[in-house]
Amino acid sequence: MIQGYAGGADAGFLDDITFEQFLHRAETIHDDHHRLEHGEHVSGPAADEYRARVARASIFAGLTVTTKTQINQALSNPDLQIHHGAVVTCVFRRATAACLEPTDSSAEPSWSRCRLGCVNAARTDRDAVNLGQHVTALERDLSTLALPEPLRQRIQFRLIEHRTALAEHESSRPTTVRTEGEEDE
């Protein structure tokens, strides 16, 4: 048993990791579809593309995987290029990713250079909750008296950016229209 995990690259462990990545993406998109069906709100520049990709991926009929090539092809499917980060969901499209340099050949977002205003960004209600918690943490950091001025300015900039994203998320939420005969609870 240990040989399969502790062996060299030819032992197949990397293939197992790739397959697990594929399963994780498929399960995540299944969860995304379920949440959208139950009214999760999505905002941001890539909100429409997020909904479209989740809808297309939800009709996935299944796949018998017998080779590593099939897994890699499935992972490169654009509909599976939805990556959930800490405060934003990336509907990844390499050509428009603000986090990547033009010479970068990465097939996934670079979270350390993520920009909330990127055209690949979508905000789910889950992201908005996390973003709100991050705002609270930044406000706490900002109240520290001994904070160096350059850091204070960066935190203030982030707070403005995060509060704007939260306000846009809430203001883009569809209003529910009451039908005749509906009563308040």
Side-chain angles (χ1 to χ4, degrees):
M1 176 158 168
I2 292 175
Q3 175 60 28
Y5 289 98
D10 61 343
F13 184 62
L14 296 177
D15 295 341
D16 291 343
I17 291 173
T18 304
F19 184 67
E20 289 298 323
Q21 288 173 332
F22 169 72
L23 288 177
H24 179 260
R25 284 208 200 149
E27 289 170 359
T28 300
I29 290 176
H30 174 74
D31 181 55
D32 292 342
H33 178 70
H34 180 73
R35 289 173 184 267
L36 284 173
E37 281 186 329
H38 288 87
E40 182 173 53
H41 174 58
V42 182
S43 66
D48 291 338
E49 181 62 18
Y50 171 84
R51 285 189 282 276
R53 285 185 186 186
V54 169
R56 284 190 304 266
S58 72
I59 59 172
F60 177 66
L63 174 69
T64 301
V65 178
T66 58
T67 68
K68 182 180 176 184
T69 302
Q70 288 174 313
I71 294 171
N72 287 329
Q73 286 175 340
L75 276 173
S76 67
N77 179 343
D79 290 340
L80 295 180
Q81 301 306 314
I82 296 173
H83 304 271
H84 292 276
V87 296
V88 70
T89 297
C90 181
V91 184
F92 188 71
R93 190 169 155 250
R94 207 181 123 9
T96 58
C99 63
L100 300 180
E101 298 294 325
T103 57
D104 192 342
S105 63
S106 179
E108 294 189 355
S110 174
W111 292 111
S112 63
R113 296 188 308 234
C114 182
R115 305 289 177 259
L116 288 180
C118 176
V119 297
N120 293 348
R123 270 176 291 291
T124 64
D125 285 336
R126 294 167 279 167
D127 296 326
V129 168
N130 293 339
L131 197 56
Q133 292 169 348
H134 196 240
V135 164
T136 302
L138 289 174
E139 289 170 340
R140 192 174 335 112
D141 291 346
L142 198 57
S143 68
T144 303
L145 296 176
L147 203 59
E149 189 57 31
L151 182 56
R152 179 176 300 282
Q153 290 174 0
R154 281 198 308 269
I155 290 173
Q156 288 172 333
F157 175 77
R158 285 273 187 230
L159 274 171
I160 291 168
E161 181 182 53
H162 288 18
R163 287 176 181 149
T164 301
L166 282 171
E168 288 172 355
H169 181 74
E170 288 307 315
S171 68
S172 69
R173 189 177 299 280
T175 56
T176 55
V177 178
R178 295 176 57 144
T179 59
E180 193 173 318
E182 209 175 30
E183 294 180 20
D184 289 332
E185 292 179 16

